[in-house]
Structure formats: structure tokens, C-alpha cells
Amino acid sequence: MFATLIKIRLHLQRNFCFLLQPYQIMTSVNLEAIFQSKIDDEVKIEPKDWMPDAYRKTLIRQISQHAHSEIVGMLPEGNWITRAPSLRRKLILLAKVQDEAGHGLYLYSAAETLGADRDELVQQLLTGKAKYSSIFNYPTLNWADIGAIGWLVDGAAITNQVMLTRTSYGPYARAMVRICKEESFHQRQGYELMMAMSFGSPEQKAMAQDALNRWWWPALMMFGPHDSESTHSDQASKWKIKRKSNDELRQNFVDVTVPQAEYLGLTVPDPDLRWNEERGHYDFGKINWDEFWNVVKGNGPCNRQRIQARTKAYEDGAWVREAAMAHAEKKEQRKLQPEAAVKAA
Ligand code: FAQ
């Protein structure tokens, strides 16, 4: 009965708060309760809604890390655009890498709706203050790596991001709908490339196997630490930012991907991998968490190279930002003083 009364009160406050008299100032406890009730009722949180500072901070952290991952993620594949073996493959790869840039753009924009300053976020990436996905610190050594990235890395990304289309923050959820559609194309092009290699010559098949050997474990690490070690998961789940845990998503990915490797005739590099009839899932071996944390802390095979490349891109792009600012200023002036602007021109 008491719970029902509270629910009714929250409903009235949430939907009819404009009727409240000015003297009825809501306490932060009230605001938090209204916020949580919206989350519980699957109502999306929008930029102008009240939200706890910690929710805003968590989202800015996660969305900006995600945006950084997208634009750093352009580098390992971008490296192969000039060396793609045919015009068809070059076009596909070019389009995919451009898509990743677009994903970065939507995500930085989503972070800006939370009051984050985009330039500050980029500075955090370039100075090593902000994280980005560990996976992009591994090198692309042969052409089959491009297939393995599409198949495994985009495959892991979709597994995680389909959940994020239902995340509680509206702009992030909506950005993820489009991103997932594109990632799904990326995953298919990667698998199609792996099929061409695996069903090709013995040398091509060996390249595909080598790529799988090197990308399998880093792909499993993309889902983050075990649930027991995950610092943000509990709170992120209460706020429905996350709807599945790191380990649940990792297991989903393994269950879906192992039969795909079997179809290709490739061997997953894990001697402990076997189907567990009782659990209805694959059991798999231990992840090397020392390697994971080492990469996350900046000591992976390509961390320095990646940040150097992003820093160069940022510096080389300074004139574009300056020109855009000057153009925006001119437009603003024209709006304020249309006649003076015409005379000056
Ligand atoms: N790498 O408490 P949790 C893509 C950090 S996009 C580096 O479990 P959370 C598309 C974590 O930040 C791939 N750091 O954290 C593409 C936290 O550190 P902090 C990126 C990691 O946030 C394809 C600490 O460990 N996707 O691939 C990693 O609840 C091909 C504790 O971890 C997203 O960003 C990692 N793998 O869960 C592009 C999706 N894992 O911040 C180009 C959105 C964890 O306290 C080519 N993000 N950490 O200093 C998420 O879903 C979550 O942030 C997780 C981590 C699941 C990544």
C-alpha cells in the first residue's frame, strides 16, 4: 500500500511537476527517486532532465571512451587501405573506416549533450588520461587481419552494443541503433573475407588461421574484466546503462563465434574450449589479465604509435577547426547585422 502511494506520488511529480507551486522546492532525495523511477519504468533520460552527477560522469566516461575507441579503431585497418588486394576490397575497407569516423562523431556529440567539452575529451585521449578499447593496440600484420577484425572485433563490438541500443540515456541509445546497423555490415564483410581466405589456397588458409590465433584472445578481452573485478558494473546496471554483464556478453560472443570458426575450418586457439551440455554454453580457457591490464595501462604493442597518429591527425587538422570557427563567427555576425555584413563584403 505504502509502495503504491509512493509510486502515485512519483508519477504525479514526474508528470505534473509544472503544477507545483514555486515554494514546493524538490529535495535532491525526491529528484533521485523520480530519476530512478523513470529508469525502472524504462523511460529514457534526456539531456535536459535532472540526473545525478555520478550518472552524468559515468556516461561521459563511457561514451567518450567509446568515441575514442572508434577513432583509434580506424588506424589498424586504415593502414591496409592502400594495400587491399582488389578495388572491391579497397572500396569496402574505405567505407568501413569512414563509418568508424562517423561513429566517433555521433558519440562525441552524444557526450556533448551531457555538457562535456569535445576538445577537452580529445585532449584526455591525446594525453593518455582517457582510455580506449585495448583491442586497437594490436598490430595488423597480414591481409587476413582485416577479415579477423571485421569478424571478431566488430562481432564483439555488436554483441556489446546491441545491449546499448536499450541503454537508459536517450541520445546514446539512439546513436547506438545506427551504429549497430553499420557494425553488422562490418561484421559480415569481415566474415566474408575470412571465408574467401579459409576456402582459398593453403597459404591463404594459413594466413586466416594466423589472424584468428592473434585476434581471438584480445577480442575476448574487449568485454572488460570479469564481473567480480568490474568497478562500474553494479551501478551501471542499476541505472540500466549496462543491461548485461561483461562475462555474460563474453559468453554470448564465444557461443556465437565458435560455430562460425568451425564452418571456416579454423581452430580457435584455446585447448580448454569445449561445449558444456549442462550449461548449454561453451567453456573456455583463462584470459591473460596481466596482458589486458598491461595494454590498458599503455604498454601494448602499438599504444604509443596509436596516440602519435591521433596527435598528428589533431595537429594537421588545426586549420580545419580554425576555418570552421571563422566561418561560424561570420555567419553569426551576418545574422546580427545583415546590412553591415553585406557592405563589408
Ligand atoms: N579496453 O568496470 P568496468 C569498436 C576499463 S568499439 C580498455 O567493467 P565498464 C568498434 C574500463 O574503462 C569498442 N579499457 O568498465 C570498432 C574501466 O576503466 P575506468 C569499444 C577497458 O565501463 C570496431 C576499467 O577497465 N566499445 O570496437 C576495457 O563498466 C572495429 C574497469 O572496467 C565500447 O566502448 C577494454 N577492453 O565496462 C571500431 C562500448 N574494458 O574508466 C573500429 C561501450 C574495461 O574506470 C574497428 N563501453 N576497461 O578508468 C562499454 O560497454 C563499457 O565501457 C565496457 C567496460 C564493457 C567496455
Side-chain angles (χ1 to χ4, degrees):
M1 173 70 180
F2 184 65
T4 314
L5 283 174
I6 293 248
K7 266 203 143 174
I8 292 170
R9 185 173 155 217
L10 289 175
H11 174 79
L12 290 173
Q13 279 187 345
R14 191 200 304 154
N15 296 297
F16 301 99
C17 56
F18 59 92
L19 295 175
L20 290 173
Q21 298 300 318
Y23 55 81
Q24 284 179 293
I25 296 166
M26 285 195 219
T27 63
S28 74
V29 177
N30 269 342
L31 290 169
E32 290 234 29
I34 294 169
F35 170 83
Q36 191 60 48
S37 85
K38 276 186 177 174
I39 301 258
D40 296 342
D41 293 350
E42 302 291 338
V43 176
K44 290 272 180 269
I45 305 300
E46 297 298 337
K48 288 187 180 158
D49 294 348
W50 185 90
M51 60 185 86
D53 275 351
Y55 177 81
R56 188 185 298 276
K57 247 173 112 181
T58 293
L59 277 169
I60 292 176
R61 176 191 66 81
Q62 178 169 322
I63 299 174
S64 61
Q65 285 179 1
H66 192 169
H68 301 329
S69 304
E70 298 282 355
I71 61 161
V72 177
M74 295 165 71
L75 299 169
E77 287 170 289
N79 193 24
W80 277 87
I81 292 172
T82 53
R83 289 175 287 166
S86 68
L87 182 60
R88 174 174 172 264
R89 293 287 179 199
K90 198 190 287 282
L91 283 172
I92 295 172
L93 187 56
L94 196 59
K96 178 185 191 295
V97 173
Q98 280 180 339
D99 283 352
E100 309 300 358
H103 298 174
L105 185 68
Y106 314 150
L107 290 163
Y108 283 122
S109 302
E112 282 176 316
T113 66
L114 290 154
D117 179 89
R118 175 139 158 208
D119 211 47
E120 255 171 47
L121 298 178
V122 173
Q123 288 311 319
Q124 286 169 6
L125 168 69
L126 301 183
T127 54
K129 229 175 120 189
K131 294 190 170 75
Y132 59 89
S133 183
S134 49
I135 192 77
F136 301 116
N137 293 305
Y138 290 86
T140 37
L141 302 180
N142 80 47
W143 173 249
D145 287 23
I146 301 306
I149 291 181
W151 173 34
L152 302 174
V153 176
D154 286 277
I158 300 171
T159 308
N160 169 273
Q161 291 172 15
V162 164
M163 154 189 92
L164 293 175
T165 61
R166 295 189 301 118
T167 197
S168 55
Y169 186 57
Y172 192 23
R174 291 189 287 274
M176 292 319 302
V177 172
R178 175 150 177 191
I179 291 179
C180 280
K181 284 184 185 159
E182 292 174 353
E183 298 289 22
S184 148
F185 155 74
H186 297 169
Q187 195 273 348
R188 281 179 216 179
Q189 70 80 34
Y191 194 66
E192 193 258 346
L193 201 161
M194 288 305 272
M195 276 168 56
M197 301 287 284
S198 305
F199 300 137
S201 67
E203 289 81 5
Q204 285 175 315
K205 185 164 182 185
M207 282 167 75
Q209 181 63 57
D210 172 52
L212 172 58
N213 292 348
R214 284 179 291 105
W215 289 93
W216 176 254
W217 291 105
L220 296 195
M221 293 174 195
M222 283 176 73
F223 295 95
H226 279 315
D227 296 348
S228 54
E229 305 290 317
S230 165
T231 38
H232 302 291
S233 279
D234 279 353
Q235 187 57 64
S237 304
K238 279 184 198 129
W239 283 330
K240 296 189 182 166
I241 293 174
K242 269 178 157 177
R243 287 174 180 263
K244 285 187 178 186
S245 78
N246 297 359
D247 285 330
E248 261 180 280
L249 291 169
R250 192 172 4 250
Q251 181 73 61
N252 287 355
F253 173 74
V254 172
D255 291 347
V256 166
T257 312
V258 171
Q260 295 173 349
E262 280 166 5
Y263 178 75
L264 295 175
L266 300 179
T267 308
V268 174
D270 178 358
D272 297 323
L273 183 76
R274 57 187 55 86
W275 178 252
N276 183 325
E277 195 62 53
E278 217 173 285
R279 289 200 313 122
H281 293 290
Y282 282 95
D283 290 336
F284 54 96
K286 279 203 177 79
I287 291 171
N288 183 344
W289 292 113
D290 289 342
E291 175 183 324
F292 171 75
W293 288 115
N294 203 33
V295 174
V296 171
K297 283 180 190 149
N299 303 316
C302 299
N303 295 59
R304 280 170 199 80
Q305 208 176 315
R306 300 293 184 236
I307 294 302
Q308 268 168 13
R310 286 309 326 163
T311 306
K312 184 172 180 321
Y314 182 76
E315 285 168 0
D316 289 351
W319 71 271
V320 180
R321 290 190 297 278
E322 279 162 24
M325 293 296 283
H327 179 66
E329 238 168 70
K330 241 189 194 172
K331 256 176 93 178
E332 198 54 35
Q333 268 176 11
R334 272 193 206 129
K335 242 195 270 165
L336 294 174
Q337 304 164 301
E339 283 159 30
V342 170
K343 269 187 206 155

